[in-house]
Amino acid sequence: MTFLTTLRREWLGQPRADLLSGTVVALALIPEALAFSFIAGVDPAVGLYASFVIAMTIAVVGGRPAMISAATGAMSLLMGGLVRDHGIEFLFAASLLTGLIQVAIGVLRLGRYVRFVSKSVMSGFVNSLGILIFLAQTPQLLHGNWQTFAMVGAGLAVIYLFPRLTKAVPSPLVAILALSAVAIAFHVDVRTVGDMGKLPTTLPVFHLPAVPLTWETLRLIAPVSLTLAFVGLLESLLTANLLDDITDTPSDKDRETRGQGIANIVSPLLGGMAGCAMIGQSMINVTSGGRGRLSTFWAGLFLLILILVLRDWVARIPMAALVAVMIMVSIKTFDWGSVTNIRSTPAQSTIVMLAVTLTVLATHDLSKGVVLGVVLSVIFFARKVGKVLAVREIDTGPSSEEEGAVRRYVVTGQIFFVSADLFAAAFEFHGKPRRVEIDLTGAHLWDLTAVAAVDKVVFRYRRQGAEVEVIGMNQAAATLVERVGRHDKTHLPEGAGHSA
């Protein structure tokens, strides 16, 4: 019953809204798929086949309802060299291997670790995507005439004003239909979808990559496949996180990882290339009211209907209408709060956000920006936590500073590679205390460097002839010391050192 309830909620929770939003997405997918095919250096049919196959497959096996996956620019940029040097069949093989790698990552349940991506990294991610989505529309504007600008302006007006009349129909769909009707009726001189490339006329057929099954082939495609797998999962899981926040619903990241892999296995077997989640189209879907798997499935199915049955009409859709929709998406994608609240935001968070944004804009590579952001976040966090360490000497009587006194230290905070030196420097080694007690009840040892720091302090006191006792370690710290520590090994000489 739980399975049937979940199935009904995810597929039939709001069929009308899902079908309408999926229709908008399908129309927006066509020029994107054509453009990405051009970037990858393949026939337009490869991008279009990939888009509808991946969308329909991920709707069934993915972990984030309403998210749109298809051929993408981030993936296409990585494919051009392989296609140019070795041909389309090697791209099919690389795409197939990409899917297998992603399925393996999903089986190992590694997708959940996307939660380590901080809010600052997410802000930089969506900001760079918002800017890139807008910049991707500039060729249409720079090479357009006054009619193009007029239609883009009219499209934006419809998108933002139509919801004041009714929200029963997504305003982006209304804008596309209205501008298409005007362009066709009055023969407006603007670029159309048909100008982007020739649409396929037949269904895809099952096709195994025609490459030799040798180690040489694996050597050629493995680096490309690993990069595609990483970039695809990174973009997909971060987009899933974004939709989780927008829709206030959870998603299964490990299932999404496996689903992306399955979709990328099916795609090359039907003449398509590897793909991943598309933040632009996903935003179109959710802002148009899509919430269920039906919206994603219908987007893929309707895309197939458009290119095979309605291709003559689709070819006449003005690009200005789709540019207007994508400009709206770029505006909604950008995290404006990260700019307006920059004065009240911690400086380290702002630095991370800007670093991610600028890196992605400079390289057009989402993975580089996000990896840099995660590294910076870890460094800033480690520095911050490393400073939250206190070593207090407890007064044991008037003779605590004299030779032969008893000293007791209470340590609180986290001891690891960043704070280890601070820990070791906090002890008083002057004089010759008879006994030293180090209380770690409020502290935690995280790594080998932490254990080495404790060893260093203990052995230094022992060399002065003091009896040293370390107490209060939690179970995890005690286990770590038992494995790699030296101060607790009575058979070792007291003057022995330890390095890590």
Side-chain angles (χ1 to χ4, degrees):
M1 290 299 294
T2 303
F3 172 75
L4 292 177
T5 301
T6 302
L7 193 67
R8 188 180 300 110
R9 183 184 70 251
E10 292 186 347
W11 283 91
L12 299 174
Q14 46 169 45
R16 181 177 177 278
D18 285 345
L19 290 173
L20 288 172
S21 61
T23 299
V24 181
V25 171
L27 292 169
L29 275 174
I30 294 176
E32 296 283 302
L34 294 173
F36 299 151
S37 297
F38 176 77
I39 292 172
V42 298
D43 188 89
V46 176
L48 290 167
Y49 286 160
S51 293
F52 88 78
V53 169
I54 293 174
M56 294 176 67
T57 304
I58 204 69
V60 178
V61 299
R64 170 66 259 180
M67 189 164 75
I68 305 297
S69 294
T72 66
M75 302 283 272
S76 299
L77 288 169
L78 301 171
M79 300 173 180
L82 183 64
V83 175
R84 182 183 63 252
D85 296 337
H86 302 286
I88 186 66
E89 294 298 332
F90 279 83
L91 173 60
F92 292 147
S95 297
L96 187 60
L97 181 58
T98 296
L100 292 173
I101 294 171
Q102 291 175 330
V103 169
I105 292 173
V107 170
L108 294 174
R109 303 176 68 83
L110 301 179
R112 66 187 66 187
Y113 293 107
V114 72
R115 67 179 181 269
F116 291 114
V117 177
S118 68
K119 172 64 176 175
S120 301
V121 175
M122 279 297 298
S123 293
F125 171 75
V126 298
N127 288 350
S128 58
L129 281 174
I131 296 171
L132 287 176
I133 291 171
F134 179 82
L135 293 177
Q137 313 313 310
T138 54
Q140 299 295 332
L141 297 174
L142 294 176
H143 299 96
N145 50 25
W146 70 267
Q147 292 98 324
T148 300
F149 286 92
M151 294 199 78
V152 171
L156 289 171
V158 172
I159 289 171
Y160 285 105
L161 297 178
F162 187 79
R164 297 186 180 183
L165 298 177
T166 178
K167 294 184 179 180
V169 181
S171 60
L173 177 58
V174 175
I176 292 172
L177 295 177
L179 293 182
S180 298
V182 170
I184 294 171
F186 296 97
H187 304 285
V188 181
D189 181 22
V190 292
R191 294 191 71 193
T192 64
V193 170
D195 296 326
M196 298 291 293
K198 185 179 179 181
L199 301 179
T201 59
T202 60
L203 284 169
V205 296
F206 182 80
H207 171 77
L208 288 173
V211 298
L213 299 178
T214 62
W215 285 110
E216 179 63 19
T217 297
L218 182 62
R219 185 186 67 80
L220 289 174
I221 67 173
V224 178
S225 297
L226 285 169
T227 306
L228 288 172
F230 175 73
V231 171
L233 287 182
L234 186 62
E235 188 165 354
S236 297
L237 295 178
L238 291 182
T239 301
N241 262 0
L242 179 63
L243 296 191
D244 289 352
D245 293 338
I246 293 173
T247 62
D248 197 25
T249 56
S251 62
D252 186 337
K253 303 301 186 300
D254 292 316
R255 179 179 175 182
E256 182 62 36
T257 301
R258 295 191 297 272
Q260 291 288 335
I262 293 171
N264 283 329
I265 291 174
V266 177
S267 177
L269 294 178
L270 293 175
M273 56 190 186
C276 64
M278 306 180 75
I279 189 169
Q281 276 65 24
S282 297
M283 288 294 293
I284 291 175
N285 195 32
V286 297
T287 54
S288 298
R291 291 295 183 272
R293 296 181 182 274
L294 181 61
S295 63
T296 305
F297 187 86
W298 174 246
L301 180 58
F302 190 55
L303 173 62
L304 178 62
I305 295 172
L306 288 172
I307 60 180
L308 294 183
V309 180
L310 303 175
R311 60 179 178 275
D312 292 337
W313 288 100
V314 170
R316 302 172 72 180
I317 295 175
M319 286 300 299
L322 299 175
V323 169
V325 173
M326 297 309 294
I327 290 176
M328 176 272 294
V329 169
S330 70
I331 294 172
K332 285 185 174 292
T333 300
F334 195 89
D335 183 5
W336 296 100
S338 64
V339 177
T340 57
N341 299 326
I342 197 168
R343 290 187 177 182
S344 59
T345 302
Q348 293 177 343
S349 297
T350 300
I351 291 172
V352 171
M353 183 270 291
L354 291 175
V356 174
T357 302
L358 295 175
T359 301
V360 173
L361 292 178
T363 63
H364 283 226
D365 189 334
L366 295 170
S367 62
K368 288 185 174 66
V370 173
V371 169
L372 175 62
V374 171
V375 171
L376 286 176
S377 296
V378 170
I379 292 173
F380 288 145
F381 175 76
R383 287 187 60 192
K384 185 174 182 180
V385 173
K387 292 179 180 179
V388 186
L389 177 72
V391 179
R392 294 184 299 112
E393 182 178 359
I394 303 300
D395 186 9
T396 57
S399 61
S400 61
E401 298 298 326
E402 299 177 1
E403 184 175 332
V406 176
R407 294 180 184 173
R408 183 169 185 267
Y409 294 92
V410 175
V411 184
T412 56
Q414 311 303 314
I415 309 174
F416 60 115
F417 64 92
V418 172
S419 59
D421 288 342
L422 295 175
F423 167 81
F427 291 84
E428 177 60 62
F429 294 102
H430 295 296
K432 293 184 178 181
R434 174 174 52 83
R435 174 180 170 80
V436 176
E437 184 178 284
I438 303 173
D439 187 352
L440 298 178
T441 303
H444 183 74
L445 307 179
W446 285 100
D447 56 16
L448 297 180
T449 309
V451 177
V454 175
D455 285 347
K456 179 180 179 180
V457 171
V458 171
F459 287 134
R460 188 167 180 180
Y461 276 122
R462 285 179 181 175
R463 284 195 295 270
Q464 296 179 3
E467 177 187 347
V468 185
E469 182 180 11
V470 180
I471 64 172
M473 285 188 290
N474 56 35
Q475 185 60 46
T479 301
L480 184 62
V481 169
E482 175 68 24
R483 288 171 54 194
V484 301
R486 293 194 176 188
H487 70 269
D488 60 327
K489 310 298 191 296
T490 56
H491 62 279
L492 291 176
E494 290 186 351
H498 180 78
S499 60

